[in-house]
Amino acid sequence: MNRVLVIGSGGREHALAWRLSQSSTVEKTFVAPGNAGTALESAIENVGLDTTDFPQVIEFCQEKDIALVVVGPEQPLVDGMVDTLAEAGIACFGPSAQAAQLEGSKAFAKDFLQRHNIPTATYGEFTDVVAAHDYLTKQSFPIVIKADGLAAGKGVVIAEDLAQAKDTVEDMLEANKFGDAGSRIIIEEFLVGEEASYIVVADGKNFIPMATSQDHKARDNGDVGPNTGGMGAYSPAPVVTPVIDQQVAEKVIQATLDGMAKDGMPFTGFLYAGLMIDARGQAKVLEFNVRFGDPETQPIMTRLQSNLDELCLAAINGKLDTMVCKWDKRYALGVVMAEKGYPFSYAKGNPIQGLDTIDGEVKVFHAGTANQGDETVTSGGRVLCVCALADELQAAQKKAYQAVKKISWGSEYYRTDIGFKAL
Ligand code: AMP
Ligand code: GLY
């Protein structure tokens, strides 16, 4: 029986920890630092570790005899958590710092994609304003400008015309709007189509696809308004037809694993390809994430029936080819409830009402929440992700929104159309 530790505090980590805690081979699940939702789960224990202090994490793992660490967010991966824990003999699921550059540097990812002939938007890479402006005068609009480094999902600007594009370039390269993350930029072709998230578990060589899913990145109904971390997701995503699935598996995922191995940095962990699928069914890579998506994890974990710890351990040991993954055939749909004002400034500390009215058919994953006395209060932009399972997507949507309407803290905000593209 395994004792496992999840690193992180968001909705993704609540869903990963919840699924791990239900595994028939898991004895105990810890989350560091976790949130109010993980604190309320009887089978999960929050631990107040400083997760940027790797020696402290190692000491905890040794003391508690942890068989597996699963890292939720990208920052610790880019900072080398997997490498450091592995040196101490601790099985930590995720890519090495080198391999995590696929997310940590957009320039690294684009150069990698180009070098290995993996379909992606055409692009240029710049550190100099004059060269970037010069490139822009020869392009058509809209165009996409991206800060090279990690920018918490905010480093991508779609510029409608030359003037806005030039301003954005100056903001990033001169005004340092994204700090170091924006000292190098990518300018890339604007792709048209439908987005999908294709997430796999990889062991350096082999992979097993996690169920397909679709996120809703824009804040408001109909995919308008500012970009967010994601306002809701559902799984499976019919936009990924069996033909597209096959194409992505071969031409994107296997090609990426082969390329990374060839370049001397085999990729182990969750690999997430953000895709744009055009009207002809051709998929191009928008970005890589080296971790699970948030909120895609919530509906996907709702559907996973296999033991997640066994999958991660098989991947760490390079034995994914011996595993199969079992899924609930039903649809899962998750609606993110956020604080009004997100993704900009928002209030905190509002007591959440109605959580105890939600029955077993619906699962509420917490993100920005905290426990204060006997109350659960808001403590972040994305607060909850309310997930429902049903035979049809429409029924899952209805069930999720029925539950959403029972939860309130006065200043909640959510999209009312999650799943609209598939319905
Ligand atoms: P990224 O962080 O690179 O996924 O970008 C965030 C969001 O910006 C994506 O989910 C897309 O909605 C949009 N985006 C990024 N790159 C492009 C592109 N080349 N063409 C159109 N939209 C894009
Ligand atoms: N939902 C998008 C992401 O996790 O990056």
PDB file of all heavy atoms in Angstrom, residues 36-66:
ATOM      1  N   ALA A  36      -8.990  24.350   1.474  1.00  0.00           N
ATOM      2  CA  ALA A  36     -10.070  23.976   2.400  1.00  0.00           C
ATOM      3  C   ALA A  36     -10.768  22.698   1.945  1.00  0.00           C
ATOM      4  O   ALA A  36     -11.230  21.906   2.768  1.00  0.00           O
ATOM      5  CB  ALA A  36     -11.074  25.118   2.511  1.00  0.00           C
ATOM      6  N   GLY A  37     -10.822  22.488   0.622  1.00  0.00           N
ATOM      7  CA  GLY A  37     -11.493  21.295   0.095  1.00  0.00           C
ATOM      8  C   GLY A  37     -10.741  20.027   0.444  1.00  0.00           C
ATOM      9  O   GLY A  37     -11.341  19.026   0.858  1.00  0.00           O
ATOM     10  N   THR A  38      -9.411  20.053   0.314  1.00  0.00           N
ATOM     11  CA  THR A  38      -8.639  18.854   0.658  1.00  0.00           C
ATOM     12  C   THR A  38      -8.654  18.651   2.168  1.00  0.00           C
ATOM     13  O   THR A  38      -8.662  17.519   2.642  1.00  0.00           O
ATOM     14  CB  THR A  38      -7.192  18.930   0.118  1.00  0.00           C
ATOM     15  OG1 THR A  38      -6.600  20.172   0.514  1.00  0.00           O
ATOM     16  CG2 THR A  38      -7.161  18.833  -1.394  1.00  0.00           C
ATOM     17  N   ALA A  39      -8.718  19.757   2.928  1.00  0.00           N
ATOM     18  CA  ALA A  39      -8.778  19.634   4.397  1.00  0.00           C
ATOM     19  C   ALA A  39     -10.067  18.944   4.831  1.00  0.00           C
ATOM     20  O   ALA A  39     -10.097  18.229   5.830  1.00  0.00           O
ATOM     21  CB  ALA A  39      -8.684  21.025   5.045  1.00  0.00           C
ATOM     22  N   LEU A  40     -11.150  19.144   4.061  1.00  0.00           N
ATOM     23  CA  LEU A  40     -12.444  18.577   4.426  1.00  0.00           C
ATOM     24  C   LEU A  40     -12.582  17.099   4.037  1.00  0.00           C
ATOM     25  O   LEU A  40     -13.492  16.416   4.498  1.00  0.00           O
ATOM     26  CB  LEU A  40     -13.578  19.376   3.769  1.00  0.00           C
ATOM     27  CG  LEU A  40     -13.780  20.804   4.304  1.00  0.00           C
ATOM     28  CD1 LEU A  40     -14.714  21.602   3.395  1.00  0.00           C
ATOM     29  CD2 LEU A  40     -14.318  20.783   5.734  1.00  0.00           C
ATOM     30  N   GLU A  41     -11.689  16.596   3.177  1.00  0.00           N
ATOM     31  CA  GLU A  41     -11.766  15.183   2.744  1.00  0.00           C
ATOM     32  C   GLU A  41     -11.227  14.306   3.867  1.00  0.00           C
ATOM     33  O   GLU A  41     -10.091  14.503   4.321  1.00  0.00           O
ATOM     34  CB  GLU A  41     -10.896  14.958   1.499  1.00  0.00           C
ATOM     35  CG  GLU A  41     -11.269  15.780   0.290  1.00  0.00           C
ATOM     36  CD  GLU A  41     -12.336  15.115  -0.576  1.00  0.00           C
ATOM     37  OE1 GLU A  41     -12.732  13.966  -0.271  1.00  0.00           O
ATOM     38  OE2 GLU A  41     -12.787  15.778  -1.532  1.00  0.00           O
ATOM     39  N   SER A  42     -12.025  13.294   4.261  1.00  0.00           N
ATOM     40  CA  SER A  42     -11.586  12.479   5.395  1.00  0.00           C
ATOM     41  C   SER A  42     -10.337  11.656   5.073  1.00  0.00           C
ATOM     42  O   SER A  42      -9.559  11.343   5.969  1.00  0.00           O
ATOM     43  CB  SER A  42     -12.726  11.574   5.850  1.00  0.00           C
ATOM     44  OG  SER A  42     -13.139  10.787   4.758  1.00  0.00           O
ATOM     45  N   ALA A  43     -10.132  11.321   3.791  1.00  0.00           N
ATOM     46  CA  ALA A  43      -8.992  10.467   3.441  1.00  0.00           C
ATOM     47  C   ALA A  43      -7.742  11.253   3.053  1.00  0.00           C
ATOM     48  O   ALA A  43      -6.752  10.671   2.624  1.00  0.00           O
ATOM     49  CB  ALA A  43      -9.402   9.534   2.304  1.00  0.00           C
ATOM     50  N   ILE A  44      -7.814  12.580   3.178  1.00  0.00           N
ATOM     51  CA  ILE A  44      -6.678  13.416   2.769  1.00  0.00           C
ATOM     52  C   ILE A  44      -6.228  14.277   3.942  1.00  0.00           C
ATOM     53  O   ILE A  44      -7.053  14.758   4.714  1.00  0.00           O
ATOM     54  CB  ILE A  44      -7.075  14.334   1.578  1.00  0.00           C
ATOM     55  CG1 ILE A  44      -7.533  13.485   0.377  1.00  0.00           C
ATOM     56  CG2 ILE A  44      -5.919  15.248   1.168  1.00  0.00           C
ATOM     57  CD1 ILE A  44      -8.032  14.293  -0.812  1.00  0.00           C
ATOM     58  N   GLU A  45      -4.914  14.452   4.055  1.00  0.00           N
ATOM     59  CA  GLU A  45      -4.396  15.320   5.120  1.00  0.00           C
ATOM     60  C   GLU A  45      -3.543  16.429   4.511  1.00  0.00           C
ATOM     61  O   GLU A  45      -2.625  16.161   3.735  1.00  0.00           O
ATOM     62  CB  GLU A  45      -3.556  14.471   6.089  1.00  0.00           C
ATOM     63  CG  GLU A  45      -3.114  15.246   7.318  1.00  0.00           C
ATOM     64  CD  GLU A  45      -2.330  14.344   8.282  1.00  0.00           C
ATOM     65  OE1 GLU A  45      -2.614  13.121   8.360  1.00  0.00           O
ATOM     66  OE2 GLU A  45      -1.418  14.874   8.941  1.00  0.00           O
ATOM     67  N   ASN A  46      -3.848  17.668   4.861  1.00  0.00           N
ATOM     68  CA  ASN A  46      -3.014  18.796   4.409  1.00  0.00           C
ATOM     69  C   ASN A  46      -1.767  18.884   5.278  1.00  0.00           C
ATOM     70  O   ASN A  46      -1.846  18.684   6.490  1.00  0.00           O
ATOM     71  CB  ASN A  46      -3.773  20.109   4.546  1.00  0.00           C
ATOM     72  CG  ASN A  46      -4.843  20.290   3.468  1.00  0.00           C
ATOM     73  OD1 ASN A  46      -5.035  19.410   2.626  1.00  0.00           O
ATOM     74  ND2 ASN A  46      -5.528  21.405   3.496  1.00  0.00           N
ATOM     75  N   VAL A  47      -0.645  19.203   4.655  1.00  0.00           N
ATOM     76  CA  VAL A  47       0.570  19.432   5.444  1.00  0.00           C
ATOM     77  C   VAL A  47       1.168  20.787   5.077  1.00  0.00           C
ATOM     78  O   VAL A  47       1.230  21.142   3.900  1.00  0.00           O
ATOM     79  CB  VAL A  47       1.639  18.312   5.284  1.00  0.00           C
ATOM     80  CG1 VAL A  47       1.264  17.103   6.101  1.00  0.00           C
ATOM     81  CG2 VAL A  47       1.835  17.920   3.838  1.00  0.00           C
ATOM     82  N   GLY A  48       1.577  21.517   6.098  1.00  0.00           N
ATOM     83  CA  GLY A  48       2.052  22.880   5.883  1.00  0.00           C
ATOM     84  C   GLY A  48       3.514  22.956   5.516  1.00  0.00           C
ATOM     85  O   GLY A  48       4.293  23.608   6.206  1.00  0.00           O
ATOM     86  N   LEU A  49       3.897  22.284   4.423  1.00  0.00           N
ATOM     87  CA  LEU A  49       5.298  22.350   4.001  1.00  0.00           C
ATOM     88  C   LEU A  49       5.526  23.592   3.143  1.00  0.00           C
ATOM     89  O   LEU A  49       4.615  24.026   2.440  1.00  0.00           O
ATOM     90  CB  LEU A  49       5.654  21.128   3.152  1.00  0.00           C
ATOM     91  CG  LEU A  49       5.575  19.750   3.795  1.00  0.00           C
ATOM     92  CD1 LEU A  49       5.854  18.676   2.746  1.00  0.00           C
ATOM     93  CD2 LEU A  49       6.593  19.659   4.919  1.00  0.00           C
ATOM     94  N   ASP A  50       6.750  24.106   3.184  1.00  0.00           N
ATOM     95  CA  ASP A  50       7.150  25.125   2.215  1.00  0.00           C
ATOM     96  C   ASP A  50       7.646  24.354   0.990  1.00  0.00           C
ATOM     97  O   ASP A  50       8.745  23.802   0.996  1.00  0.00           O
ATOM     98  CB  ASP A  50       8.266  25.993   2.800  1.00  0.00           C
ATOM     99  CG  ASP A  50       8.834  26.958   1.763  1.00  0.00           C
ATOM    100  OD1 ASP A  50       8.338  26.963   0.607  1.00  0.00           O
ATOM    101  OD2 ASP A  50       9.777  27.698   2.111  1.00  0.00           O
ATOM    102  N   THR A  51       6.815  24.297  -0.047  1.00  0.00           N
ATOM    103  CA  THR A  51       7.135  23.409  -1.179  1.00  0.00           C
ATOM    104  C   THR A  51       8.242  23.967  -2.071  1.00  0.00           C
ATOM    105  O   THR A  51       8.681  23.291  -2.997  1.00  0.00           O
ATOM    106  CB  THR A  51       5.877  23.112  -2.017  1.00  0.00           C
ATOM    107  OG1 THR A  51       5.308  24.359  -2.438  1.00  0.00           O
ATOM    108  CG2 THR A  51       4.853  22.344  -1.213  1.00  0.00           C
ATOM    109  N   THR A  52       8.718  25.205  -1.789  1.00  0.00           N
ATOM    110  CA  THR A  52       9.885  25.695  -2.533  1.00  0.00           C
ATOM    111  C   THR A  52      11.179  25.244  -1.832  1.00  0.00           C
ATOM    112  O   THR A  52      12.264  25.398  -2.363  1.00  0.00           O
ATOM    113  CB  THR A  52       9.893  27.239  -2.634  1.00  0.00           C
ATOM    114  OG1 THR A  52       9.985  27.786  -1.309  1.00  0.00           O
ATOM    115  CG2 THR A  52       8.630  27.759  -3.295  1.00  0.00           C
ATOM    116  N   ASP A  53      11.024  24.710  -0.634  1.00  0.00           N
ATOM    117  CA  ASP A  53      12.176  24.242   0.155  1.00  0.00           C
ATOM    118  C   ASP A  53      12.290  22.721  -0.049  1.00  0.00           C
ATOM    119  O   ASP A  53      11.713  21.932   0.703  1.00  0.00           O
ATOM    120  CB  ASP A  53      11.918  24.608   1.632  1.00  0.00           C
ATOM    121  CG  ASP A  53      13.060  24.189   2.545  1.00  0.00           C
ATOM    122  OD1 ASP A  53      13.970  23.454   2.086  1.00  0.00           O
ATOM    123  OD2 ASP A  53      13.027  24.575   3.724  1.00  0.00           O
ATOM    124  N   PHE A  54      13.045  22.315  -1.076  1.00  0.00           N
ATOM    125  CA  PHE A  54      13.081  20.893  -1.432  1.00  0.00           C
ATOM    126  C   PHE A  54      13.620  20.007  -0.304  1.00  0.00           C
ATOM    127  O   PHE A  54      13.086  18.915  -0.076  1.00  0.00           O
ATOM    128  CB  PHE A  54      13.842  20.663  -2.747  1.00  0.00           C
ATOM    129  CG  PHE A  54      13.221  21.343  -3.945  1.00  0.00           C
ATOM    130  CD1 PHE A  54      13.971  21.581  -5.097  1.00  0.00           C
ATOM    131  CD2 PHE A  54      11.891  21.753  -3.936  1.00  0.00           C
ATOM    132  CE1 PHE A  54      13.401  22.216  -6.206  1.00  0.00           C
ATOM    133  CE2 PHE A  54      11.310  22.392  -5.038  1.00  0.00           C
ATOM    134  CZ  PHE A  54      12.080  22.619  -6.176  1.00  0.00           C
ATOM    135  N   PRO A  55      14.668  20.434   0.434  1.00  0.00           N
ATOM    136  CA  PRO A  55      15.128  19.592   1.559  1.00  0.00           C
ATOM    137  C   PRO A  55      14.016  19.333   2.575  1.00  0.00           C
ATOM    138  O   PRO A  55      13.917  18.219   3.129  1.00  0.00           O
ATOM    139  CB  PRO A  55      16.265  20.415   2.171  1.00  0.00           C
ATOM    140  CG  PRO A  55      16.791  21.234   1.032  1.00  0.00           C
ATOM    141  CD  PRO A  55      15.593  21.560   0.192  1.00  0.00           C
ATOM    142  N   GLN A  56      13.169  20.321   2.805  1.00  0.00           N
ATOM    143  CA  GLN A  56      12.058  20.133   3.743  1.00  0.00           C
ATOM    144  C   GLN A  56      11.073  19.080   3.206  1.00  0.00           C
ATOM    145  O   GLN A  56      10.581  18.241   3.968  1.00  0.00           O
ATOM    146  CB  GLN A  56      11.339  21.489   3.924  1.00  0.00           C
ATOM    147  CG  GLN A  56      10.406  21.533   5.110  1.00  0.00           C
ATOM    148  CD  GLN A  56       9.626  22.843   5.173  1.00  0.00           C
ATOM    149  OE1 GLN A  56       8.421  22.853   5.014  1.00  0.00           O
ATOM    150  NE2 GLN A  56      10.317  23.955   5.383  1.00  0.00           N
ATOM    151  N   VAL A  57      10.821  19.125   1.905  1.00  0.00           N
ATOM    152  CA  VAL A  57       9.915  18.148   1.293  1.00  0.00           C
ATOM    153  C   VAL A  57      10.533  16.747   1.388  1.00  0.00           C
ATOM    154  O   VAL A  57       9.849  15.774   1.728  1.00  0.00           O
ATOM    155  CB  VAL A  57       9.604  18.527  -0.183  1.00  0.00           C
ATOM    156  CG1 VAL A  57       8.758  17.449  -0.856  1.00  0.00           C
ATOM    157  CG2 VAL A  57       8.911  19.885  -0.255  1.00  0.00           C
ATOM    158  N   ILE A  58      11.836  16.660   1.126  1.00  0.00           N
ATOM    159  CA  ILE A  58      12.530  15.369   1.194  1.00  0.00           C
ATOM    160  C   ILE A  58      12.443  14.790   2.613  1.00  0.00           C
ATOM    161  O   ILE A  58      12.137  13.602   2.803  1.00  0.00           O
ATOM    162  CB  ILE A  58      14.010  15.521   0.754  1.00  0.00           C
ATOM    163  CG1 ILE A  58      14.064  15.785  -0.752  1.00  0.00           C
ATOM    164  CG2 ILE A  58      14.841  14.281   1.117  1.00  0.00           C
ATOM    165  CD1 ILE A  58      15.427  16.191  -1.270  1.00  0.00           C
ATOM    166  N   GLU A  59      12.668  15.644   3.596  1.00  0.00           N
ATOM    167  CA  GLU A  59      12.620  15.187   4.986  1.00  0.00           C
ATOM    168  C   GLU A  59      11.237  14.637   5.330  1.00  0.00           C
ATOM    169  O   GLU A  59      11.112  13.558   5.931  1.00  0.00           O
ATOM    170  CB  GLU A  59      12.957  16.369   5.910  1.00  0.00           C
ATOM    171  CG  GLU A  59      13.324  15.943   7.315  1.00  0.00           C
ATOM    172  CD  GLU A  59      13.633  17.176   8.180  1.00  0.00           C
ATOM    173  OE1 GLU A  59      14.528  17.948   7.805  1.00  0.00           O
ATOM    174  OE2 GLU A  59      12.946  17.349   9.199  1.00  0.00           O
ATOM    175  N   PHE A  60      10.198  15.327   4.878  1.00  0.00           N
ATOM    176  CA  PHE A  60       8.828  14.872   5.128  1.00  0.00           C
ATOM    177  C   PHE A  60       8.605  13.504   4.468  1.00  0.00           C
ATOM    178  O   PHE A  60       8.046  12.580   5.075  1.00  0.00           O
ATOM    179  CB  PHE A  60       7.822  15.897   4.591  1.00  0.00           C
ATOM    180  CG  PHE A  60       6.398  15.443   4.705  1.00  0.00           C
ATOM    181  CD1 PHE A  60       5.687  15.600   5.890  1.00  0.00           C
ATOM    182  CD2 PHE A  60       5.754  14.832   3.629  1.00  0.00           C
ATOM    183  CE1 PHE A  60       4.370  15.159   6.007  1.00  0.00           C
ATOM    184  CE2 PHE A  60       4.440  14.390   3.735  1.00  0.00           C
ATOM    185  CZ  PHE A  60       3.747  14.558   4.928  1.00  0.00           C
ATOM    186  N   CYS A  61       9.050  13.370   3.217  1.00  0.00           N
ATOM    187  CA  CYS A  61       8.841  12.120   2.474  1.00  0.00           C
ATOM    188  C   CYS A  61       9.547  10.953   3.169  1.00  0.00           C
ATOM    189  O   CYS A  61       9.012   9.841   3.230  1.00  0.00           O
ATOM    190  CB  CYS A  61       9.361  12.241   1.042  1.00  0.00           C
ATOM    191  SG  CYS A  61       8.372  13.367   0.049  1.00  0.00           S
ATOM    192  N   GLN A  62      10.746  11.220   3.670  1.00  0.00           N
ATOM    193  CA  GLN A  62      11.494  10.151   4.346  1.00  0.00           C
ATOM    194  C   GLN A  62      10.822   9.769   5.658  1.00  0.00           C
ATOM    195  O   GLN A  62      10.667   8.591   5.970  1.00  0.00           O
ATOM    196  CB  GLN A  62      12.950  10.575   4.540  1.00  0.00           C
ATOM    197  CG  GLN A  62      13.706  10.551   3.208  1.00  0.00           C
ATOM    198  CD  GLN A  62      15.053  11.257   3.248  1.00  0.00           C
ATOM    199  OE1 GLN A  62      15.318  12.062   4.142  1.00  0.00           O
ATOM    200  NE2 GLN A  62      15.902  10.961   2.263  1.00  0.00           N
ATOM    201  N   GLU A  63      10.405  10.784   6.386  1.00  0.00           N
ATOM    202  CA  GLU A  63       9.759  10.560   7.676  1.00  0.00           C
ATOM    203  C   GLU A  63       8.456   9.768   7.519  1.00  0.00           C
ATOM    204  O   GLU A  63       8.167   8.860   8.303  1.00  0.00           O
ATOM    205  CB  GLU A  63       9.453  11.931   8.258  1.00  0.00           C
ATOM    206  CG  GLU A  63       9.188  12.000   9.727  1.00  0.00           C
ATOM    207  CD  GLU A  63       9.001  13.464  10.101  1.00  0.00           C
ATOM    208  OE1 GLU A  63       9.990  14.238   9.996  1.00  0.00           O
ATOM    209  OE2 GLU A  63       7.867  13.836  10.417  1.00  0.00           O
ATOM    210  N   LYS A  64       7.691  10.094   6.493  1.00  0.00           N
ATOM    211  CA  LYS A  64       6.369   9.467   6.308  1.00  0.00           C
ATOM    212  C   LYS A  64       6.416   8.268   5.354  1.00  0.00           C
ATOM    213  O   LYS A  64       5.370   7.704   5.029  1.00  0.00           O
ATOM    214  CB  LYS A  64       5.366  10.483   5.758  1.00  0.00           C
ATOM    215  CG  LYS A  64       5.110  11.663   6.654  1.00  0.00           C
ATOM    216  CD  LYS A  64       4.258  11.286   7.864  1.00  0.00           C
ATOM    217  CE  LYS A  64       3.985  12.511   8.709  1.00  0.00           C
ATOM    218  NZ  LYS A  64       3.417  12.199  10.013  1.00  0.00           N
ATOM    219  N   ASP A  65       7.592   7.941   4.859  1.00  0.00           N
ATOM    220  CA  ASP A  65       7.738   6.811   3.951  1.00  0.00           C
ATOM    221  C   ASP A  65       6.833   6.963   2.716  1.00  0.00           C
ATOM    222  O   ASP A  65       6.051   6.062   2.384  1.00  0.00           O
ATOM    223  CB  ASP A  65       7.409   5.517   4.715  1.00  0.00           C
ATOM    224  CG  ASP A  65       7.954   4.301   3.992  1.00  0.00           C
ATOM    225  OD1 ASP A  65       8.825   4.472   3.112  1.00  0.00           O
ATOM    226  OD2 ASP A  65       7.484   3.189   4.280  1.00  0.00           O
ATOM    227  N   ILE A  66       6.963   8.105   2.052  1.00  0.00           N
ATOM    228  CA  ILE A  66       6.132   8.413   0.885  1.00  0.00           C
ATOM    229  C   ILE A  66       6.651   7.640  -0.335  1.00  0.00           C
ATOM    230  O   ILE A  66       7.822   7.726  -0.682  1.00  0.00           O
ATOM    231  CB  ILE A  66       6.165   9.942   0.599  1.00  0.00           C
ATOM    232  CG1 ILE A  66       5.593  10.732   1.787  1.00  0.00           C
ATOM    233  CG2 ILE A  66       5.450  10.282  -0.700  1.00  0.00           C
ATOM    234  CD1 ILE A  66       4.127  10.538   2.059  1.00  0.00           C
TER     235      ILE A  66
END
